[in-house]
Amino acid sequence: CALPISGGRAFALGKRALADNSAALIRLSNREHRLAPRYAALVRTEAARALGAPRDLGPEETEAFLDRLGRARGVEDTITALTGAANDARSGADLLQVALRLHRWKREMTRERR
């Protein structure tokens, strides 16, 4: 007597599957670039926390604080320029370019190791 073979799940479970499915939907909708400003804000917030920025600063004040600190540390990019580039992103390629610059900027600012 042969047992029926299970067809499996139509949708995978778990956090990884959720992230993969979400990314696929965003790609299909051609709206990847719309994530850039939010990613820049997230990186700004993480860097500000790591670098001890006052918590009561608004976004523009935080950017000014981080830009001053970056100049003092000799960091080439500024969070203000990166936020502007994120706001100007119009494609997935633009998003990737800005994300790479943001990652490098944060690593330089916080002096993270690879």
Side-chain angles (χ1 to χ4, degrees):
C1 173
L3 296 175
I5 298 175
S6 173
R9 293 190 160 279
F11 299 101
L13 297 176
K15 293 176 192 175
R16 176 63 189 236
L18 177 62
D20 289 344
N21 291 336
S22 297
L25 285 172
I26 292 167
R27 260 192 313 278
L28 285 172
S29 69
N30 240 358
R31 296 178 187 251
E32 294 169 302
H33 64 280
R34 294 178 123 186
L35 298 173
R38 290 182 183 155
Y39 183 65
L42 173 68
V43 170
R44 179 186 61 224
T45 300
E46 288 178 345
R49 281 188 192 143
L51 296 166
R55 294 181 184 254
D56 61 341
L57 299 179
E60 293 83 19
E61 295 165 317
T62 301
E63 286 182 6
F65 173 87
L66 293 170
D67 288 347
R68 282 191 306 274
L69 186 58
R71 279 191 300 276
R73 291 179 176 210
V75 175
E76 186 174 329
D77 252 328
T78 65
I79 191 62
T80 300
L82 292 169
T83 299
N87 290 334
D88 292 341
R90 297 291 175 253
S91 68
D94 291 347
L95 166 65
L96 181 58
Q97 189 66 29
V98 170
L100 289 170
R101 287 177 60 199
L102 282 161
H103 177 74
R104 183 174 48 245
W105 173 84
K106 182 181 172 213
R107 195 175 65 227
E108 289 175 15
M109 288 292 291
T110 60
R111 299 187 170 142
E112 292 178 11
R113 300 202 188 266
R114 292 181 187 209

